Amino acid sequence: EVQLWESGGAFVQPGGSLRLSCAASGFAFRNYAMTWVRQPPGKGLEWVSSIGPKSLATYYADSVKGRCTVSRDDSKNTFYMDLSSLRDDDTAVYYCARASSLVGSTPTYFFDYWGQGNLVTVAS
Amino acid sequence: DIQMTQSPSSLSASVGDRLTISCRASQSVTNFLNWYQQKPGKAPRLLIYSATTLQSGVPSRFSGSGSGTDFILTINSLQPEDFATYYCQQNADIPLTFGGGTKVEIK
């Protein structure tokens, strides 16, 4: 059974930073891209970042570019997102998801398994 | 960026109804279009990928159609567990983008 479990959500002051982690099990983690998607309270879904297999490629939304770094440790079946210079509009539930693509190594990702979500609140 | 527009943003329906939700892309995404269901307080669930392919374990009353810029999610014979918010997502190009969602409520 595929399982994804996020951790690291917290209450953070504006300008601060955090690291979110996503531990995976039940599939060949090293062969899959992984993704973060966020959802501000009461709002819709926003893709944030993705990392391809073997960390060969990373992709970021403009809203976090320059403030965000995704990485993975295939030996631990875990991937991470470091987000800095946090702003009020970064407040959201952050979901990790497995990203699948039917077109080789291109980032044509859809998200077939999701974690339970982790709330990040940015406020003073 | 490819903008995804869903309509309607909300609708009321009854158990047993057939309903359709529309998703329009600002430019062609060919068939790189996916649908998700989300219930309150829960993570989204993939329903359909590549516009028409039903994800494993999803009931056959869900179906997807369309290509290019216009797509439809159809739910035949709405069940009580189908009341939720539905999102489309394009995966043709980075940034990956979602529609604004369609909330399906009980009439």
Side-chain angles (χ1 to χ4, degrees):
Chain A
E1 180 190 6
V2 172
Q3 290 191 319
L4 299 170
W5 190 263
E6 302 99 337
S7 60
F11 187 96
V12 186
Q13 290 191 331
S17 61
L18 61 77
R19 164 171 273 203
L20 297 178
S21 302
C22 176
S25 64
F27 65 101
F29 180 78
R30 66 178 65 248
N31 293 338
Y32 283 87
M34 299 298 294
T35 282
W36 292 97
V37 173
R38 69 184 180 183
Q39 185 169 37
K43 297 190 176 180
L45 301 169
E46 179 191 16
W47 170 77
V48 177
S49 61
S50 297
I51 183 167
K54 303 182 178 68
S55 304
L56 290 178
T58 55
Y59 308 93
Y60 300 98
D62 285 347
S63 59
V64 300
K65 199 170 291 182
R67 305 188 294 128
C68 181
T69 302
V70 288
S71 59
R72 61 191 296 160
D73 184 340
D74 289 346
S75 69
K76 296 181 179 179
N77 284 4
T78 302
F79 87 113
Y80 308 93
M81 181 170 70
D82 293 297
L83 190 57
S84 62
S85 301
L86 285 162
R87 314 185 297 226
D88 291 352
D89 62 0
D90 291 319
T91 294
V93 174
Y94 285 75
Y95 295 100
C96 68
R98 192 177 82 169
S100 291
S101 172
L102 303 179
V103 187
S105 60
T106 63
T108 53
Y109 300 137
F110 57 93
F111 314 123
D112 52 2
Y113 291 92
W114 297 65
Q116 84 289 351
N118 208 337
L119 177 63
V120 172
T121 302
V122 182
S124 53
Chain B
D1 298 4
I2 300 175
Q3 308 301 320
M4 307 302 295
T5 303
Q6 287 183 235
S7 60
S9 57
S10 66
L11 63 90
S12 297
S14 300
V15 173
D17 284 354
R18 177 179 182 270
L19 67 84
T20 60
I21 297 170
S22 173
C23 177
R24 175 165 287 177
S26 60
Q27 64 190 73
S28 176
V29 297
T30 59
N31 70 331
F32 289 105
L33 191 284
N34 314 296
W35 292 97
Y36 301 85
Q37 175 194 67
Q38 187 181 33
K39 296 181 180 179
K42 300 293 187 182
R45 171 197 182 195
L46 177 67
L47 298 176
I48 289 169
Y49 61 93
S50 298
T52 61
T53 304
L54 201 64
Q55 170 70 344
S56 175
V58 174
S60 59
R61 62 180 179 273
F62 291 91
S63 64
S65 62
S67 67
T69 61
D70 292 300
F71 302 86
I72 299 285
L73 173 69
T74 301
I75 310 175
N76 285 301
S77 187
L78 199 67
Q79 297 300 299
E81 61 267 29
D82 300 336
F83 291 96
T85 300
Y86 294 85
Y87 294 93
C88 62
Q89 175 240 335
Q90 66 81 17
N91 57 327
D93 198 13
I94 295 289
L96 307 171
T97 48
F98 290 88
T102 296
K103 187 173 184 179
V104 177
E105 298 176 300
I106 300 173
K107 185 182 289 183

